[in-house]
Amino acid sequence: MIANAHIKRHRAAVFAATLLAGSFSLQATAAEIKVRDAHGRDVTIADSSRTLSIGGAITEVLADLGLAQRIAGVDSTSVYPPEAVAGKPNVGYLRQLSSEGVIGLNPTLILAMDSAGPKQTIDAITSAGIPLVSVPEAYSEQGLLDKIALIGHAMGADKAATCLASAVGDDFTTLRKLRAAITKPVRVMFVMSLVNGQAMAAGRNTAADSIIALAGGVNAIDGYDGYKAINDEAIVAARPDVVLTIKRSRDSFEADAFYAHPAFALTPAGQHRAFLAMDGLYLLGFGPRTPAAAVEVASRLYPQLAAEAAGFKPKATTVDCRS
């Protein structure tokens, strides 16, 4: 009798444990998130507690969603916000990743801009079974809103992502109203670098081309896609009213080099010493601060807009969308 009672109790405990394990299994399955990434891959995410963020805009979005504590590592383009990246392991430049450095951080999820590489590293990550979501680099208003939505969904933070996207959308609306007052667009040349006197300038389908358009300007270089080196004749022929560049430490294009360059000296930009340098991630990152960056560029291109632009308070940097 006692033995039979013990057996019954044991069977009941096993049955209860089985039910409990089953419920956990169901919960785990329900908690899984499926996303389709920039390369059309369907990615299943079960755990985002150790997320490797490869791309400055991705890191910025994660921080704005209140998810900085889940960031297990970043790449070298992830420099903002400083408090979110401080002390985080760094895997290097997003296009020159090493599989050892990435896999060695034991990430449960990798969010990477779709330009991340090289291919052999991406292949090694995939072979290791680590969920990898490639985030599209679409340099447009809708592209940015879609980026926020994808990152938020991958992290199980759809509500926070909707909040942030709404704030960014409102900032774009303010930018459009500001841009509507422009009657004569300014010709802008974006110069990535100036090496041995030769400029590397941005053509169509680049972040620089898009930020110029968002600010109400016209890209002075429209004969090619991407970034290419151009000669002195092309610089003079482009007739830029303003030269735009980014501030950085290496291969930088400084104002003194611009003023001393014989070809730029023959352009309206050189004659009026119209040179503008801004932080690279802020200007070209296409993260939540992009509308604010475009407003700042517009205020510099069109002094008549400066007073109105000075009163612009971007919602994306003030709203609390923490999930």
Side-chain angles (χ1 to χ4, degrees):
M1 295 284 294
I2 295 174
N4 288 338
H6 177 72
I7 291 171
K8 287 180 180 179
R9 284 196 301 270
H10 176 71
R11 286 176 176 172
V14 170
F15 180 67
T18 302
L19 285 177
L20 188 60
S23 69
F24 276 109
S25 177
L26 289 173
Q27 289 173 7
T29 301
E32 287 184 345
I33 296 168
K34 296 183 184 297
V35 300
R36 176 160 292 184
D37 73 358
H39 298 299
R41 297 175 301 204
D42 292 320
V43 183
T44 300
I45 303 164
D47 182 2
S48 61
S49 62
R50 288 187 55 79
T51 297
L52 179 56
S53 178
I54 301 176
I58 296 174
T59 301
E60 189 172 337
V61 170
L62 289 174
D64 285 351
L65 296 179
L67 302 174
Q69 75 280 3
R70 296 196 210 171
I71 301 175
V74 296
D75 75 310
S76 61
T77 70
S78 299
V79 295
Y80 183 90
E83 64 274 13
V85 300
K88 302 287 187 183
N90 195 304
V91 295
Y93 184 51
L94 66 89
R95 291 186 177 89
Q96 298 173 350
L97 303 171
S98 75
S99 55
E100 294 84 359
V102 170
I103 297 172
L105 289 179
N106 297 314
T108 58
L109 170 64
I110 298 173
L111 298 178
M113 299 311 299
D114 63 4
S115 61
K119 183 179 183 302
Q120 56 265 35
T121 295
I122 301 302
D123 291 343
I125 292 169
T126 304
S127 297
I130 303 170
L132 168 65
V133 176
S134 291
V135 179
E137 294 182 90
Y139 305 123
S140 65
E141 293 186 26
Q142 190 58 51
L144 174 51
L145 299 180
D146 290 345
K147 180 189 298 181
I148 293 169
L150 175 60
I151 295 169
H153 184 56
M155 300 296 289
D158 293 290
K159 184 177 179 180
T162 299
C163 168
L164 180 59
S166 177
V168 172
D170 288 346
D171 289 344
F172 273 127
T173 298
T174 301
L175 172 62
R176 283 195 295 274
K177 292 177 180 177
L178 186 72
R179 201 167 57 227
I182 299 169
T183 55
K184 185 180 179 182
V186 169
R187 293 177 61 81
V188 182
M189 180 188 291
F190 179 85
V191 178
M192 179 64 76
S193 62
L194 185 69
V195 179
N196 297 324
Q198 189 168 50
M200 178 76 71
R204 300 180 305 254
N205 297 316
T206 59
D209 180 64
S210 294
I211 202 70
I212 289 169
L214 286 173
V218 173
N219 192 349
I221 301 293
D222 61 359
Y224 57 80
D225 291 348
Y227 296 86
K228 293 184 180 180
I230 59 174
N231 58 31
D232 289 0
E233 290 77 9
I235 291 172
V236 176
R239 297 177 292 104
D241 298 303
V242 177
V243 166
L244 177 65
T245 190
I246 59 174
K247 295 177 181 176
R248 58 180 181 175
S249 57
R250 189 170 61 88
D251 295 333
S252 58
F253 177 36
E254 303 293 345
D256 288 344
F258 162 65
Y259 299 142
H261 196 281
F264 283 116
L266 297 176
T267 67
Q271 292 161 8
H272 296 97
R273 299 174 75 84
F275 180 86
L276 174 59
M278 294 174 61
D279 174 77
L281 180 61
Y282 178 53
L283 182 66
L284 303 180
F286 271 77
R289 296 177 297 157
T290 288
V295 167
E296 185 173 337
V297 174
S299 70
R300 301 287 293 274
L301 299 182
Y302 308 99
Q304 69 271 25
L305 303 181
E308 185 177 353
F312 172 60
K313 304 298 182 185
K315 290 187 179 181
T317 58
T318 56
V319 69
D320 184 0
C321 293
R322 290 174 292 181
S323 60

